[in-house]
């Protein structure tokens, strides 16, 4: 296993132009980290108040990310569910190139200027279909999941609007953007994300099918060569030295704290997070 099966476009301009659908050799777009986190939240987090909004254990989030980065597949079944949500959120936040490539930022932002909802949805569908196959796969998987979470909004308080507010700035962002510009664009970013989350922007793609409709089923599993390429890419994303130091520091901090999380489980009879709920 490896952290993920995808390698996003190194050249954002190439991603903006898109690739021929069904082209052999395109990497499968859904990393095990994303699959595992979504599976756990579906099993035991859909009814949880503030799921994907409430923070989990920062120390354990780093540990779990480090495990996936090393090609491991940790057991998340006993991990505090808000920590699982944090791992998923951080994955999108830490991606060096967002699922909606930098070069498409202006095109997607222009959706907010269109008058009717029908025009906005049609343009979003057009732009999404121009993305590389692996980007579409990750986007489709996440959007299906987001809509599922929103169905329980009376219990978890996570409406489509709240989810768009949370995911929008990680999905749609510029390569270089100062804080002033980011805040100035924020409402439009959220509005465009809301259009994609609230509508069916994958009309010909079944919700329960992860792979792209044009991708042959036997292309999903990567070769050893592709796995090595992925691990190399992941290493460059996070920076080996910096990441290792952060993990070591988190372990030291964790050992000094009451209610620390050990080996993927909450230690003691009641964690600090359980007491605060």
């Amino acid at each position: 296993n490896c952290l993920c099966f995808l390698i996003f476009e190194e050249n954002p301009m190439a991603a903006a132009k898109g690739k021929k659908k069904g082209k052999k050799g395109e990497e499968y777009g859904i990393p095990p980290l994303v699959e595992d986190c979504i599976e756990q939240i579906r099993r035991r987090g859909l009814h949880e108040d503030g799921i994907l909004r409430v923070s989990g254990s920062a120390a354990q989030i780093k540990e779990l990310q480090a495990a996936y980065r090393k090609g491991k597949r940790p057991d998340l079944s006993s991990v505090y569910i808000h920590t699982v949500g944090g791992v998923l959120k951080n994955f999108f936040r830490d991606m060096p190139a967002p699922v909606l490539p930098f070069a498409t930022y202006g095109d997607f932002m222009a959706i907010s200027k269109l008058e009717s909802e029908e025009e906005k949805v049609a343009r979003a569908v057009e732009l999404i279909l121009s993305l590389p196959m692996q980007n579409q796969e990750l986007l489709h998987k996440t959007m299906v999941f987001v809509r599922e979470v929103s169905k329980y909004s009376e219990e978890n308080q996570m409406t489509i609007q709240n989810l768009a507010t949370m995911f929008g700035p990680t999905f749609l962002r510029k390569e270089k953007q100062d804080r002033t510009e980011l805040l100035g664009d924020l409402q439009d970013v959220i509005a465009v994300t809301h259009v994609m989350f609230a509508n069916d922007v994958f009309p010909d793609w079944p919700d329960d099918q992860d792979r792209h409709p044009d991708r042959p089923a036997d292309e999903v599993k990567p070769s050893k060569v592709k796995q090595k390429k992925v691990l190399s890419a992941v290493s460059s994303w996070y920076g080996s030295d910096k990441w290792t130091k952060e993990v070591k520091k988190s372990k030291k901090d964790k050992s000094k704290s009451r209610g620390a999380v050990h080996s993927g489980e909450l230690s003691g009879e009641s964690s600090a997070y359980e007491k605060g709920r």
Side-chain angles (χ1 to χ4, degrees), residues 90-110:
N90 281 14
F91 171 82
F92 288 104
R93 186 199 67 188
D94 295 341
M95 289 173 66
V99 65
L100 302 177
F102 291 125
T104 66
Y105 183 83
D107 291 332
F108 275 99
M109 287 292 283

Side-chain angles (χ1 to χ4, degrees), residues 112-129:
S112 66
K113 308 303 180 186
L114 298 176
E115 293 186 5
S116 70
E117 187 74 3
E118 290 75 12
E119 288 179 295
K120 293 176 180 179
V121 174
R123 182 55 175 157
V125 170
E126 181 182 3
L127 290 172
I128 288 171
L129 289 177

Side-chain angles (χ1 to χ4, degrees), residues 55 59 79 129 137 144 159 164 175 193 211 221 233 267:
S55 298
V79 177
L129 289 177
E137 286 172 332
V144 170
T159 62
E175 187 169 10
T193 308
R211 72 177 188 278
K221 200 166 184 178
S267 63

Side-chain angles (χ1 to χ4, degrees), residues 145-252:
F145 168 65
V146 161
R147 285 196 292 271
E148 187 174 356
V149 171
S150 72
K151 289 178 181 178
Y152 300 88
S153 60
E154 290 188 5
E155 297 174 73
N156 61 33
Q157 309 304 315
M158 298 306 293
T159 62
I160 286 290
Q161 180 65 30
N162 289 341
L163 290 161
T165 301
M166 186 181 64
F167 279 109
T170 62
F171 278 18
L172 188 57
R173 51 190 165 92
K174 281 186 175 180
E175 187 169 10
K176 295 181 180 179
Q177 189 175 41
D178 59 34
R179 181 173 177 78
T180 301
E181 188 177 15
L182 186 152
L183 292 174
D185 287 353
L186 185 58
Q187 291 307 312
D188 285 343
V189 166
I190 294 171
V192 172
T193 308
H194 187 280
V195 168
M196 294 188 289
F197 282 5
N199 297 279
D200 185 6
V201 292
F202 293 96
D204 301 318
W205 192 333
D207 284 356
D208 60 354
Q209 178 178 311
D210 288 344
R211 72 177 188 278
H212 194 284
D214 292 336
R215 183 194 294 282
D218 61 359
E219 285 189 11
V220 171
K221 200 166 184 178
S223 65
K224 290 184 179 180
V225 173
K226 290 179 181 178
Q227 290 185 18
K228 288 181 180 179
K229 288 171 66 179
V230 168
L231 289 173
S232 176
V234 170
S235 178
S236 67
W237 289 359
Y238 294 109
S240 299
D241 293 338
K242 181 179 178 182
W243 187 265
T244 301
K245 290 178 181 178
E246 287 183 349
V247 173
K248 287 181 178 178
K249 182 178 182 298
S250 72
K251 288 181 178 178
K252 290 180 180 178

Side-chain angles (χ1 to χ4, degrees), residues 7-74:
I7 300 176
F8 284 97
E9 292 291 335
E10 294 180 3
N11 180 355
M13 291 306 296
K17 295 176 182 177
K19 291 184 179 181
K20 181 180 178 181
K21 299 190 192 75
K23 179 179 177 182
K24 289 191 175 183
E26 281 198 61
E27 304 291 347
Y28 179 50
I30 304 173
L33 180 152
V34 173
E35 289 183 333
D36 294 349
C37 289
I38 287 178
E39 179 185 5
Q40 286 300 317
I41 293 172
R42 277 177 169 157
R43 286 183 178 181
R44 53 193 180 93
L46 293 176
H47 303 275
E48 190 77 17
D49 186 19
I51 190 65
L52 294 172
R53 175 177 54 80
V54 175
S55 298
S57 164
Q60 194 181 19
I61 287 171
K62 289 181 180 179
E63 275 196 17
L64 291 169
Q65 286 180 302
Y68 279 104
R69 176 177 171 267
K70 293 175 181 177
K72 298 178 181 179
R73 197 128 185 200

